[in-house]
Amino acid sequence: VDYAYPYVPYRVPREKKRYSKVITEVEGWENEGYLIPHEPIRRDMAVLDRVNKLWEDGTLDDEKKEVFLKWFEVFGTQVSLHAKSEDVFFFSFFESKGAVLGTLSNDHEKLEELLAMRGDAVLDNLSELTSLLVSHFDEEERAFRPLFGTAITHSEWKVAVSESHKAYTMDQ
């Protein structure tokens, strides 16, 4: 099945674990289109959970801490770019299709604060970050997924994603 996402190097594997508790099936462009950006972030959140447990137990050694904090900068950049593309493009697109954003934009402000932290502050706030990401993604999927296939056609979604890539790239 062609989901028309040639620009996305990540595909949602059909046989692998789903991290979303809202969208549990991959079948159809409607589900895959929303899982593609969220599932890799959710998958990487397992690292946050493991490191948080070590930090809380007092068993995170200095070498692992240093490696994690470097990794966190990359993870934070990816999550921040995802949030910014939603702020710059997708939220207004979804609103134009009848979605109600609620607190989603406010979540991004708090998310940016957490992602900007460095050193021990990152480690001290991992639980809050993970909790915010989980609830935010779930809320987005509940708010926006019902629009796919009804208010948003497949061709509209392809154009929207393409336009968002033009409007907001990693170079900005």
Side-chain angles (χ1 to χ4, degrees):
V1 177
D2 173 20
Y3 293 103
Y5 295 108
Y7 49 81
V8 178
Y10 177 78
R11 291 283 190 263
V12 180
R14 297 200 183 329
E15 70 283 354
K16 301 289 184 184
K17 175 183 177 184
R18 293 294 150 263
Y19 298 94
S20 174
K21 291 182 175 46
V22 177
I23 300 174
T24 57
E25 297 297 322
V26 175
E27 294 303 320
W29 68 270
E30 305 93 334
N31 290 343
E32 186 167 280
Y34 223 86
L35 289 173
I36 285 172
H38 286 178
E39 288 294 273
I41 295 170
R42 281 187 172 116
R43 180 197 60 224
D44 289 349
M45 285 167 50
V47 174
L48 302 179
D49 289 337
R50 285 193 305 271
V51 169
N52 189 49
K53 182 174 179 355
L54 294 172
W55 180 248
E56 288 178 347
D57 292 347
T59 58
L60 182 65
D61 65 49
D62 289 341
E63 183 180 345
K64 286 180 183 170
K65 177 180 170 181
E66 183 179 339
V67 169
F68 169 75
L69 291 173
K70 287 180 183 176
W71 174 88
F72 183 82
E73 288 185 34
V74 174
F75 174 79
T77 299
Q78 292 170 336
V79 173
S80 183
L81 286 170
H82 173 82
K84 287 176 183 169
S85 72
E86 289 176 342
D87 289 338
V88 168
F89 187 82
F90 283 107
F91 283 176
S92 61
F93 173 75
F94 285 123
E95 279 184 312
S96 76
K97 298 297 181 175
V100 177
L101 293 182
T103 62
L104 290 171
S105 293
N106 296 340
D107 287 354
H108 285 178
E109 292 173 23
K110 181 61 179 175
L111 185 60
E112 289 298 331
E113 287 175 30
L114 293 167
L115 294 172
M117 293 180 179
R118 294 294 176 255
D120 287 359
V122 170
L123 297 160
D124 290 337
N125 289 282
L126 286 177
S127 290
E128 183 179 2
L129 174 61
T130 301
S131 178
L132 178 61
L133 284 169
V134 167
S135 64
H136 180 76
F137 285 169
D138 288 353
E139 187 178 344
E140 279 183 357
E141 290 169 5
R142 276 192 218 83
F144 303 148
R145 172 55 189 88
L147 300 173
F148 285 74
T150 57
I152 301 169
T153 67
H154 189 194
S155 59
E156 286 176 313
W157 182 241
K158 288 191 298 186
V159 169
V161 171
S162 177
E163 290 299 315
S164 77
H165 287 205
K166 291 176 193 171
Y168 200 86
T169 66
M170 289 184 75
D171 296 334
Q172 292 183 331

